[in-house]
CSV table of all heavy atoms in Angstrom, one decimal:
chain,number,residue,atom,x,y,z
A,1,ALA,N,0.8,-1.2,0.0
A,1,ALA,CA,0.0,0.0,0.0
A,1,ALA,C,0.8,1.3,0.0
A,1,ALA,O,0.4,2.4,0.2
A,1,ALA,CB,-0.9,0.0,1.2
A,2,GLY,N,2.2,1.1,-0.2
A,2,GLY,CA,3.1,2.2,-0.2
A,2,GLY,C,3.4,2.8,1.1
A,2,GLY,O,3.9,3.9,1.2
A,3,ILE,N,3.2,2.0,2.2
A,3,ILE,CA,3.6,2.5,3.6
A,3,ILE,C,4.8,1.8,4.0
A,3,ILE,O,4.9,0.5,4.0
A,3,ILE,CB,2.4,2.1,4.5
A,3,ILE,CG1,1.1,2.8,4.1
A,3,ILE,CG2,2.7,2.5,6.0
A,3,ILE,CD1,-0.2,2.2,4.7
A,4,SER,N,5.8,2.5,4.5
A,4,SER,CA,7.0,1.9,4.9
A,4,SER,C,6.9,1.8,6.4
A,4,SER,O,6.6,2.8,7.2
A,4,SER,CB,8.1,2.9,4.5
A,4,SER,OG,9.4,2.4,5.1
A,5,LEU,N,7.2,0.6,6.9
A,5,LEU,CA,7.2,0.3,8.4
A,5,LEU,C,8.5,-0.4,8.8
A,5,LEU,O,9.1,-1.0,8.0
A,5,LEU,CB,6.0,-0.7,8.7
A,5,LEU,CG,4.6,-0.1,8.8
A,5,LEU,CD1,3.7,-1.2,9.0
A,5,LEU,CD2,4.5,1.0,9.8
A,6,PRO,N,8.8,-0.2,10.1
A,6,PRO,CA,10.0,-0.9,10.6
A,6,PRO,C,9.7,-2.4,10.5
A,6,PRO,O,8.5,-2.8,10.5
A,6,PRO,CB,10.1,-0.4,12.0
A,6,PRO,CG,9.0,0.6,12.3
A,6,PRO,CD,8.2,0.7,11.1
A,7,ARG,N,10.8,-3.2,10.6
A,7,ARG,CA,10.6,-4.7,10.4
A,7,ARG,C,10.1,-5.5,11.6
A,7,ARG,O,9.5,-6.5,11.4
A,7,ARG,CB,12.1,-5.2,9.9
A,7,ARG,CG,12.1,-6.7,9.7
A,7,ARG,CD,11.1,-7.2,8.7
A,7,ARG,NE,11.2,-8.6,8.4
A,7,ARG,CZ,10.4,-9.4,9.1
A,7,ARG,NH1,9.6,-9.1,10.1
A,7,ARG,NH2,10.5,-10.7,8.8
A,8,THR,N,10.4,-5.0,12.8
A,8,THR,CA,10.1,-5.8,14.0
A,8,THR,C,8.8,-5.4,14.6
A,8,THR,O,8.4,-4.2,14.6
A,8,THR,CB,11.2,-5.9,15.0
A,8,THR,OG1,11.2,-4.6,15.7
A,8,THR,CG2,12.5,-6.3,14.4
A,9,ALA,N,8.1,-6.3,15.3
A,9,ALA,CA,6.8,-6.0,16.0
A,9,ALA,C,7.1,-4.9,17.0
A,9,ALA,O,6.3,-4.0,17.2
A,9,ALA,CB,6.2,-7.2,16.6
A,10,ARG,N,8.2,-5.0,17.7
A,10,ARG,CA,8.6,-4.0,18.8
A,10,ARG,C,8.7,-2.6,18.2
A,10,ARG,O,8.2,-1.7,18.8
A,10,ARG,CB,9.9,-4.4,19.5
A,10,ARG,CG,10.3,-3.5,20.6
A,10,ARG,CD,11.4,-4.0,21.4
A,10,ARG,NE,11.0,-5.2,22.2
A,10,ARG,CZ,10.2,-5.2,23.2
A,10,ARG,NH1,9.6,-4.1,23.6
A,10,ARG,NH2,10.0,-6.3,23.9
A,11,GLU,N,9.3,-2.5,17.1
A,11,GLU,CA,9.4,-1.2,16.3
A,11,GLU,C,8.1,-0.7,15.8
A,11,GLU,O,7.7,0.4,15.9
A,11,GLU,CB,10.5,-1.3,15.2
A,11,GLU,CG,11.9,-1.5,15.6
A,11,GLU,CD,12.8,-1.9,14.5
A,11,GLU,OE1,12.4,-2.7,13.6
A,11,GLU,OE2,13.9,-1.4,14.5
A,12,GLN,N,7.3,-1.7,15.3
A,12,GLN,CA,6.0,-1.4,14.7
A,12,GLN,C,5.0,-0.8,15.8
A,12,GLN,O,4.2,0.0,15.5
A,12,GLN,CB,5.3,-2.6,14.1
A,12,GLN,CG,6.1,-3.0,12.8
A,12,GLN,CD,5.6,-4.3,12.2
A,12,GLN,OE1,4.7,-5.0,12.7
A,12,GLN,NE2,6.3,-4.8,11.1
A,13,LEU,N,5.2,-1.3,17.1
A,13,LEU,CA,4.4,-0.8,18.2
A,13,LEU,C,4.6,0.7,18.4
A,13,LEU,O,3.8,1.3,19.1
A,13,LEU,CB,4.8,-1.6,19.4
A,13,LEU,CG,3.9,-1.4,20.7
A,13,LEU,CD1,2.4,-1.6,20.4
A,13,LEU,CD2,4.4,-2.3,21.8
A,14,ARG,N,5.7,1.3,17.9
A,14,ARG,CA,5.9,2.7,18.0
A,14,ARG,C,5.5,3.5,16.7
A,14,ARG,O,5.6,4.7,16.7
A,14,ARG,CB,7.4,3.0,18.3
A,14,ARG,CG,7.8,2.4,19.7
A,14,ARG,CD,9.2,2.9,20.1
A,14,ARG,NE,10.2,2.5,19.2
A,14,ARG,CZ,11.0,1.4,19.5
A,14,ARG,NH1,10.7,0.6,20.6
A,14,ARG,NH2,12.0,1.0,18.7
A,15,ALA,N,5.0,2.8,15.7
A,15,ALA,CA,4.6,3.4,14.4
A,15,ALA,C,3.2,4.0,14.6
A,15,ALA,O,2.4,3.5,15.4
A,15,ALA,CB,4.7,2.4,13.3
A,16,GLY,N,2.9,5.0,13.8
A,16,GLY,CA,1.6,5.5,13.7
A,16,GLY,C,1.2,6.2,15.0
A,16,GLY,O,2.0,6.7,15.8
A,17,VAL,N,-0.2,6.1,15.3
A,17,VAL,CA,-0.7,6.7,16.5
A,17,VAL,C,-1.5,5.6,17.3
A,17,VAL,O,-2.1,4.7,16.7
A,17,VAL,CB,-1.6,7.9,16.2
A,17,VAL,CG1,-0.9,9.0,15.6
A,17,VAL,CG2,-2.8,7.5,15.3
A,18,PRO,N,-1.5,5.7,18.6
A,18,PRO,CA,-2.2,4.7,19.4
A,18,PRO,C,-3.7,4.8,19.2
A,18,PRO,O,-4.3,5.8,19.0
A,18,PRO,CB,-1.8,5.0,20.8
A,18,PRO,CG,-1.2,6.4,20.8
A,18,PRO,CD,-0.8,6.7,19.4
A,19,VAL,N,-4.4,3.6,19.2
A,19,VAL,CA,-5.8,3.5,19.1
A,19,VAL,C,-6.4,2.7,20.2
A,19,VAL,O,-5.8,1.6,20.5
A,19,VAL,CB,-6.2,2.8,17.7
A,19,VAL,CG1,-7.6,2.6,17.5
A,19,VAL,CG2,-5.6,3.6,16.5
A,20,GLY,N,-7.5,3.1,20.8
A,20,GLY,CA,-8.1,2.3,21.9
A,20,GLY,C,-8.7,1.0,21.3
A,20,GLY,O,-9.1,0.9,20.1
A,21,ARG,N,-8.9,0.0,22.2
A,21,ARG,CA,-9.4,-1.3,21.7
A,21,ARG,C,-10.8,-1.2,21.1
A,21,ARG,O,-11.1,-1.8,20.1
A,21,ARG,CB,-9.5,-2.2,23.0
A,21,ARG,CG,-10.3,-3.5,22.8
A,21,ARG,CD,-9.5,-4.4,21.9
A,21,ARG,NE,-10.3,-5.7,21.6
A,21,ARG,CZ,-11.2,-5.8,20.6
A,21,ARG,NH1,-11.4,-4.8,19.8
A,21,ARG,NH2,-11.8,-7.0,20.4
A,22,ARG,N,-11.6,-0.2,21.6
A,22,ARG,CA,-13.0,-0.1,21.0
A,22,ARG,C,-13.0,0.8,19.8
A,22,ARG,O,-14.0,1.0,19.2
A,22,ARG,CB,-13.9,0.5,22.1
A,22,ARG,CG,-14.2,-0.5,23.1
A,22,ARG,CD,-15.2,0.1,24.2
A,22,ARG,NE,-15.6,-0.9,25.2
A,22,ARG,CZ,-14.8,-1.2,26.2
A,22,ARG,NH1,-13.6,-0.7,26.3
A,22,ARG,NH2,-15.2,-2.2,27.1
A,23,ALA,N,-11.8,1.5,19.5
A,23,ALA,CA,-11.8,2.3,18.3
A,23,ALA,C,-11.1,1.7,17.1
A,23,ALA,O,-10.8,2.3,16.1
A,23,ALA,CB,-11.1,3.6,18.7
A,24,ILE,N,-10.8,0.4,17.2
A,24,ILE,CA,-10.0,-0.3,16.1
A,24,ILE,C,-10.8,-0.3,14.8
A,24,ILE,O,-12.0,-0.6,14.8
A,24,ILE,CB,-9.7,-1.7,16.5
A,24,ILE,CG1,-8.6,-1.7,17.7
A,24,ILE,CG2,-9.1,-2.5,15.3
A,24,ILE,CD1,-8.3,-3.0,18.3
A,25,LYS,N,-10.1,0.1,13.7
A,25,LYS,CA,-10.7,0.1,12.4
A,25,LYS,C,-9.9,-0.8,11.5
A,25,LYS,O,-8.7,-1.1,11.8
A,25,LYS,CB,-10.6,1.6,11.9
A,25,LYS,CG,-11.4,2.6,12.6
A,25,LYS,CD,-12.7,2.8,12.1
A,25,LYS,CE,-13.3,4.1,12.5
A,25,LYS,NZ,-14.2,4.1,13.7
A,26,PRO,N,-10.5,-1.2,10.3
A,26,PRO,CA,-9.7,-2.0,9.4
A,26,PRO,C,-8.4,-1.3,9.0
A,26,PRO,O,-8.3,-0.1,8.8
A,26,PRO,CB,-10.6,-2.0,8.2
A,26,PRO,CG,-12.0,-1.9,8.7
A,26,PRO,CD,-11.8,-0.9,9.9
A,27,GLY,N,-7.3,-2.1,9.0
A,27,GLY,CA,-6.0,-1.6,8.7
A,27,GLY,C,-5.1,-1.2,9.9
A,27,GLY,O,-3.9,-1.0,9.7
A,28,ASP,N,-5.8,-1.1,11.1
A,28,ASP,CA,-5.0,-0.8,12.2
A,28,ASP,C,-4.1,-2.1,12.6
A,28,ASP,O,-4.6,-3.2,12.3
A,28,ASP,CB,-5.9,-0.5,13.4
A,28,ASP,CG,-6.6,0.9,13.3
A,28,ASP,OD1,-6.1,1.7,12.5
A,28,ASP,OD2,-7.5,1.1,14.1
A,29,LEU,N,-3.0,-1.8,13.1
A,29,LEU,CA,-2.2,-2.9,13.6
A,29,LEU,C,-2.6,-3.3,15.0
A,29,LEU,O,-2.8,-2.4,15.8
A,29,LEU,CB,-0.6,-2.5,13.6
A,29,LEU,CG,-0.1,-2.0,12.3
A,29,LEU,CD1,1.4,-1.8,12.4
A,29,LEU,CD2,-0.4,-3.0,11.2
A,30,VAL,N,-2.7,-4.6,15.4
A,30,VAL,CA,-3.1,-5.0,16.7
A,30,VAL,C,-2.0,-5.8,17.3
A,30,VAL,O,-1.3,-6.6,16.6
A,30,VAL,CB,-4.4,-5.8,16.7
A,30,VAL,CG1,-5.6,-4.9,16.4
A,30,VAL,CG2,-4.4,-6.9,15.7
A,31,PHE,N,-1.7,-5.5,18.6
A,31,PHE,CA,-0.5,-6.1,19.2
A,31,PHE,C,-0.9,-6.9,20.4
A,31,PHE,O,-1.9,-6.5,21.1
A,31,PHE,CB,0.4,-5.1,19.7
A,31,PHE,CG,1.1,-4.3,18.5
A,31,PHE,CD1,0.5,-3.2,18.0
A,31,PHE,CD2,2.3,-4.7,17.9
A,31,PHE,CE1,1.0,-2.5,16.9
A,31,PHE,CE2,2.8,-4.0,16.9
A,31,PHE,CZ,2.1,-2.9,16.4
A,32,MET,N,-0.3,-8.1,20.7
A,32,MET,CA,-0.6,-8.9,21.8
A,32,MET,C,0.7,-9.5,22.4
A,32,MET,O,1.6,-9.7,21.6
A,32,MET,CB,-1.7,-9.9,21.5
A,32,MET,CG,-1.4,-10.7,20.3
A,32,MET,SD,-2.9,-11.0,19.3
A,32,MET,CE,-3.2,-9.5,18.4
A,33,HIS,N,0.7,-9.9,23.6
A,33,HIS,CA,1.7,-10.7,24.2
A,33,HIS,C,1.3,-12.1,24.3
A,33,HIS,O,0.2,-12.4,25.0
A,33,HIS,CB,2.1,-10.2,25.6
A,33,HIS,CG,3.0,-9.0,25.6
A,33,HIS,ND1,4.3,-9.1,25.2
A,33,HIS,CD2,2.8,-7.7,25.9
A,33,HIS,CE1,4.9,-7.9,25.3
A,33,HIS,NE2,4.0,-7.1,25.7
A,34,LEU,N,1.8,-13.1,23.5
A,34,LEU,CA,1.4,-14.4,23.6
A,34,LEU,C,2.5,-15.3,24.3
A,34,LEU,O,3.6,-14.8,24.3
A,34,LEU,CB,1.2,-14.9,22.1
A,34,LEU,CG,0.2,-14.2,21.3
A,34,LEU,CD1,0.1,-14.8,19.9
A,34,LEU,CD2,-1.2,-14.3,22.0
A,35,ALA,N,2.0,-16.4,24.8
A,35,ALA,CA,2.9,-17.2,25.7
A,35,ALA,C,4.2,-17.6,24.9
A,35,ALA,O,5.3,-17.6,25.5
A,35,ALA,CB,2.2,-18.4,26.1
A,36,HIS,N,4.0,-18.0,23.5
A,36,HIS,CA,5.2,-18.4,22.9
A,36,HIS,C,6.0,-17.4,22.2
A,36,HIS,O,7.0,-17.7,21.6
A,36,HIS,CB,4.7,-19.5,21.8
A,36,HIS,CG,3.8,-18.8,20.8
A,36,HIS,ND1,2.4,-18.7,21.1
A,36,HIS,CD2,4.0,-18.4,19.6
A,36,HIS,CE1,1.8,-18.2,20.0
A,36,HIS,NE2,2.8,-18.0,19.1
A,37,LYS,N,5.6,-16.1,22.2
A,37,LYS,CA,6.6,-15.1,21.7
A,37,LYS,C,6.4,-13.8,22.5
A,37,LYS,O,5.4,-13.6,23.1
A,37,LYS,CB,6.2,-14.8,20.2
A,37,LYS,CG,4.8,-14.8,19.8
A,37,LYS,CD,4.7,-14.3,18.3
A,37,LYS,CE,5.1,-15.4,17.4
A,37,LYS,NZ,5.0,-15.1,16.0
A,38,GLU,N,7.4,-12.9,22.4
A,38,GLU,CA,7.4,-11.8,23.3
A,38,GLU,C,6.3,-10.8,22.8
A,38,GLU,O,5.5,-10.4,23.7
A,38,GLU,CB,8.7,-11.1,23.1
A,38,GLU,CG,9.0,-10.1,24.1
A,38,GLU,CD,10.4,-9.5,24.0
A,38,GLU,OE1,11.4,-10.3,23.9
A,38,GLU,OE2,10.6,-8.3,24.1
């Protein structure tokens, strides 16, 4: 889509602007801590 993002999830967590759980729209990045990965 012509959007340049950093390569790692940790760096991506600092990209763009924060969005609240109830305000998530299509195309937003969603992050979670799962047992098998940081």
Side-chain angles (χ1 to χ4, degrees):
I3 300 164
S4 178
L5 282 177
R7 178 60 182 88
T8 69
R10 180 168 295 290
E11 292 166 321
Q12 291 170 4
L13 187 54
R14 294 192 295 267
V17 294
V19 178
R21 172 67 184 91
R22 288 181 178 80
I24 291 172
K25 299 264 199 265
D28 288 345
L29 304 185
V30 291
F31 296 88
M32 52 220 79
H33 279 291
L34 299 177
H36 60 278
K37 44 173 75 181
E38 193 174 317

